[in-house]
Each structure stands twice: as C-alpha cells, then as structure tokens.
Amino acid sequence: RLTAVMNEVIGGQFEVWVPHIKARGEIGMMARSIYRFKQITRAATERREQEEATLHDKHRQVVELVTEGLNALAHARLTLRFDAPLAPEYDSIRTDFNTATARLREVMLTLAGTVSELRDQASDMRVSASDLADRTTRQVEMIARTSDTVSGLTETLRQTSGSLRDA
C-alpha cells in the first residue's frame, strides 16, 4: 500500500492518503517519511508553479509593452512613454524604448524645423527672383525705349545732315 501511495505522489497526486502514519516500527517510519516527502514535493511543486506564473506575468508585461510601443511607432505617435517600471531584469527595455522615442522625437522636431526654415528661405528666394525679374523687365523696356529714341535721333541727324549738305 505504501509503495502504491509513493508511486501516486511521484506521479503528482498529492491528495492521496498515506496509511499507517500512526503505526509503530519501520512501517510507521516509512509512512511518515512518505507523508513528509509528499508534503515537501507538494510545496516544491506549488513554489515552482508560482515562480512560473510570476515569470509568465513578467514576460506578458514585456510583450505588452513592446507591442504597444511598436504600435505607437507604426502610427507615428512619438509621445508614448512608459513610466511604470517592469521587473528589474527587464526594465532596461522600458527605459531604452523611452530614450529611443525621445531621441526620435527630437530628431523629427529638428527635421521639421529645418524643413520650415528651408520653406521660408525658398519663399524668400522666390520673392527675390520675382523682384529681380520685374526689375530686369523694366530695364529691358527702358533700354528698348532708349534704343528707339537713339534710333529716332540717328534718323533725325541723318536728315539734318542731308539738309545741311543740300544747303
């Protein structure tokens, strides 16, 4: 009977009743040893299960953080920060994510500022180019009028010169 109980305990059946615990002699000692083994094994199994559940919970938190962080990055939300610390052995993931998004946010703000400056400078250059084109057009018109005037004067001089020769 004790051998059957021991086999059940080895198989993970901790609710099995251990007979002969109060017996005297070697059978009683063996029954008490099996009972103690059953209690120690049950405690160790429960402790292991608790540790596995704790580890699973830590891993779940890390996976949720990474999933939420990547989702935010995929949607260009660079303001997401994780403030609730993770387990010490995984907290560097949280701090590294926060640092990376903060740095990426700074780079994007700098880039946006640079683009804005370039847009302003391009607008200034467009205004300057338009002003230069207007002034050039006016100067071309003035040169054309001056040329027409000089041509008219040349023709008048030629006529006057011809009249003077005739005279």
Side-chain angles (χ1 to χ4, degrees):
R1 288 178 66 194
L2 288 176
T3 301
V5 168
M6 187 61 146
N7 284 330
E8 287 187 47
V9 170
I10 289 171
Q13 301 297 319
F14 300 116
E15 302 306 318
V16 66
W17 179 74
V18 179
H20 308 296
I21 289 181
K22 296 196 182 210
R24 295 186 182 182
E26 290 181 14
I27 296 294
M29 286 175 50
M30 189 180 289
R32 287 187 290 279
S33 292
I34 291 172
Y35 180 77
R36 181 151 166 70
F37 174 75
K38 179 180 98 164
Q39 297 299 62
I40 291 170
T41 304
R42 179 191 330 212
T45 301
E46 289 172 356
R47 188 171 42 253
R48 188 194 66 208
E49 288 171 354
Q50 181 60 38
E51 288 170 357
E52 286 176 359
T54 301
L55 185 61
H56 176 72
D57 189 50
K58 288 177 184 179
H59 289 167
R60 182 190 50 76
Q61 288 176 336
V62 170
V63 169
E64 286 175 0
L65 179 137
V66 170
T67 301
E68 185 178 350
L70 290 176
N71 185 283
L73 289 175
H75 291 91
R77 288 190 345 246
L78 301 178
T79 57
L80 180 64
R81 255 189 86 67
F82 295 106
D83 295 321
L86 296 172
E89 62 269 27
Y90 299 112
D91 201 44
S92 64
I93 294 171
R94 178 188 66 87
T95 58
D96 288 348
F97 178 85
N98 288 342
T99 302
T101 54
R103 182 66 187 123
L104 186 57
R105 186 172 46 252
E106 289 173 14
V107 167
M108 294 305 287
L109 288 173
T110 301
L111 185 60
T114 301
V115 167
S116 178
E117 286 176 19
L118 288 173
R119 189 179 313 121
D120 292 344
Q121 289 174 357
S123 178
D124 291 347
M125 288 174 70
R126 193 172 28 256
V127 168
S128 295
S130 177
D131 184 47
L132 179 61
D134 289 344
R135 284 184 290 151
T136 302
T137 301
R138 283 194 305 268
Q139 286 179 352
V140 165
E141 289 171 358
M142 187 183 302
I143 289 171
R145 281 194 305 261
T146 303
S147 175
D148 289 345
T149 303
V150 168
S151 292
L153 284 174
T154 302
E155 182 59 33
T156 302
L157 280 174
R158 193 175 319 134
Q159 287 174 0
T160 303
S161 176
S163 294
L164 283 174
R165 242 182 287 162
D166 289 341

